[in-house]
């Protein structure tokens, strides 16, 4: 076995911004694998209650996940010239707080070239965690529990957006109220604190926003079985990731 830390972020990206930084900063090691195991509203009519979704990337419809990197983006956007009088001053402040290296400015610019699309933060999960979660879910899912892989959506306005969702078509599989913020803090700490954080999300459908699941009775009769398979898949993925790291 391996030691793990299990904690609840609370509901929504705002709660993630309060809890996740403290957990990351309390970790003794820089290489951290974070797996979000949670429930989700389905955005495809064929999704049944209890189905699993492994996220590849996130459509961001919240403001909180911008905040961890707003400062860094502002620096890169406004003071990208190393000769700018404010560049060194701001860099010194960031280096003092997060013990970053002299090459921080160049790393910052490269990070935002990679992660920003048309000026907007575009979060995604890490390939290594995605693979581990997919394999573990395939190995541990129970009869009647299907596995899907693809994009999800993070929204801060869950009630209004849920009502709108019923009238729209979606490319995403499900709604996650936390994943984009988790990705944002990964990027923030990897850049400014030299961490090696990898994240992934394994969701279980608890209701369907755009359709009517027809397996509700079966799910509640086997609720514990479905939930145990969900949690076990996440734990097995973490174990496999640590084996690979070692």
């Amino acid at each position: 076995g391996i030691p793990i830390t299990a904690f609840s972020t609370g509901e929504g990206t705002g709660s993630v911004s309060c809890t996740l930084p403290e957990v990351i900063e309390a970790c003794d090691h820089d290489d951290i694998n974070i797996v979000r195991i949670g429930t989700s509203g389905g955005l495809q009519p064929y999704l049944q209650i209890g189905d699993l979704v492994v996220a590849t990337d996130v459509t961001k419809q919240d403001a909180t996940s911008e905040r961890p990197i707003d400062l860094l983006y502002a620096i890169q956007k406004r003071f990208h010239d190393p000769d700018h009088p404010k560049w060194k001053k701001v860099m010194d402040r960031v280096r003092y707080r997060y013990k970053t290296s002299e090459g921080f400015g160049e790393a910052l610019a490269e990070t935002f070239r990679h992660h920003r699309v048309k000026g907007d933060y575009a979060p995604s999960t890490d390939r290594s965690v995605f693979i581990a979660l997919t394999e573990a879910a395939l190995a541990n899912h129970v009869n009647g529990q299907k596995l899907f892989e693809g994009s999800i959506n993070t929204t801060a306005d869950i009630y209004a957006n849920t009502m709108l969702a019923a009238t729209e078509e979606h490319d995403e599989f499900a709604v996650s109220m936390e994943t984009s913020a988790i990705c944002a803090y990964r990027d923030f700490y990897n850049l400014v604190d030299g961490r090696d954080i990898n994240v992934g999300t394994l969701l279980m459908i608890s209701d369907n926003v755009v359709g009517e699941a027809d397996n509700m009775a079966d799910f509640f009769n086997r609720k514990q079985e479905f939930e145990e398979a969900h949690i076990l898949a996440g734990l097995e993925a973490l174990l496999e990731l640590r084996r690979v790291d070692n």
Side-chain angles (χ1 to χ4, degrees):
I2 59 171
I4 66 169
T5 298
F7 69 100
S8 171
T9 61
E11 184 176 334
T13 53
S15 294
V16 171
S17 71
C18 297
T19 56
L20 186 57
E22 292 192 8
V23 173
I24 292 174
E25 293 185 16
C27 289
D28 295 328
H29 301 284
D30 290 335
D31 57 322
I32 305 170
N33 294 308
I34 299 175
V35 170
R36 180 180 179 251
I37 301 175
T39 55
S40 175
L43 292 176
Q44 298 297 332
Y46 49 79
L47 290 173
Q48 297 293 311
I49 308 303
D51 284 346
L52 300 174
V53 176
V54 185
T56 55
D57 54 272
V58 189
T59 300
K60 181 186 68 61
Q61 290 186 318
D62 72 291
T64 305
S65 57
E66 293 281 354
R67 303 308 296 170
I69 53 177
D70 265 351
L71 168 64
L72 307 182
Y73 182 54
I75 296 169
Q76 191 270 339
K77 185 176 181 181
R78 299 176 189 173
F79 314 127
H80 62 278
D81 182 358
D83 295 326
H84 194 292
K86 290 187 178 181
W87 175 263
K88 184 177 186 302
K89 183 177 181 180
V90 176
M91 288 296 98
D92 286 345
R93 286 180 180 174
V94 175
R95 277 197 291 267
Y96 175 77
R97 171 64 179 87
Y98 294 103
K99 307 299 187 292
T100 56
S101 67
E102 289 295 325
F104 173 76
E106 292 75 14
L108 174 64
E110 180 60 31
T111 293
F112 281 99
R113 276 194 293 271
H114 176 71
H115 284 294
R116 291 225 167 216
V117 179
K118 297 181 180 179
D120 294 323
Y121 178 62
S124 61
T125 60
D126 290 286
R127 181 69 178 170
S128 60
V129 186
F130 166 79
I131 292 173
L133 283 171
T134 300
E135 293 178 348
L138 286 171
N140 290 282
H141 76 284
V142 297
N143 290 335
Q145 189 176 46
K146 295 181 180 179
L147 175 66
F148 299 88
E149 307 165 357
S151 300
I152 61 173
N153 179 295
T154 291
T155 175
D157 195 356
I158 186 65
Y159 298 107
N161 285 351
T162 296
M163 287 187 286
L164 288 172
T167 67
E168 301 171 349
E169 293 185 358
H170 301 271
D171 295 326
E172 301 91 354
F173 280 99
V175 175
S176 164
M177 292 181 65
E178 294 80 25
T179 299
S180 66
I182 294 172
C183 292
Y185 278 103
R186 169 206 58 197
D187 295 334
F188 181 81
Y189 279 98
N190 283 352
L191 177 62
V192 304
D193 209 20
R195 302 276 184 160
D196 182 19
I197 301 172
N198 294 279
V199 305
T201 291
L202 178 63
L203 303 172
M204 184 171 71
I205 301 301
S206 58
D207 64 280
N208 196 313
V209 176
V210 298
E212 193 70 34
D214 57 17
N215 70 326
M216 186 69 74
D218 180 57
F219 173 77
F220 279 108
N221 288 332
R222 302 171 57 204
K223 186 171 182 287
Q224 183 174 348
E225 184 183 1
F226 276 75
E227 290 177 343
E228 287 179 353
H230 183 203
I231 295 171
L232 184 59
L235 294 174
E236 290 289 345
L238 286 172
L239 183 60
E240 179 59 27
L241 287 164
R242 184 54 64 195
R243 286 174 181 152
V244 172
D245 290 342
N246 292 335

